[in-house]
Amino acid sequence: LSDNLELKKTVSLGYISTEEIAGWKEINKKNWAELVKEMIEKADKALHESKNKGRNRTTKYNEKLVF
């Protein structure tokens, strides 16, 4: 790369806290995969909300995020 080339980066994030997942404290091996899948889906919704609102955003999942 050239010394004069400037690269700009932006980051959009989506995340979920365990308080948003019903029954997370009662997790066991049987429902682990279901819980992880649910968390990924909800974090993904939060990520898309960040991207829809612009660059360099972080969004925590909440039930009001509707797609």
Side-chain angles (χ1 to χ4, degrees):
L1 293 176
S2 170
D3 290 337
N4 296 329
L5 182 64
E6 182 179 325
L7 298 176
K8 295 183 179 183
K9 300 173 192 104
T10 63
V11 176
S12 296
L13 301 171
Y15 72 98
I16 184 169
S17 71
T18 53
E19 291 86 25
E20 301 294 334
I21 301 293
W24 75 272
K25 290 183 179 180
E26 293 80 32
I27 191 167
N28 57 46
K29 290 180 183 178
K30 185 176 181 180
N31 64 2
W32 174 252
E34 292 175 23
L35 178 66
V36 170
K37 181 180 176 184
E38 180 182 353
M39 291 182 77
I40 290 170
E41 289 172 354
K42 289 182 176 183
D44 189 53
K45 287 182 180 181
L47 170 62
H48 286 284
E49 180 71 11
S50 287
K51 288 183 174 188
N52 289 337
K53 288 187 174 183
R55 297 178 176 173
N56 291 327
R57 302 232 180 217
T58 300
T59 303
K60 178 181 176 184
Y61 174 83
N62 67 68
E63 292 294 329
K64 294 179 184 176
L65 299 178
V66 178
F67 294 91

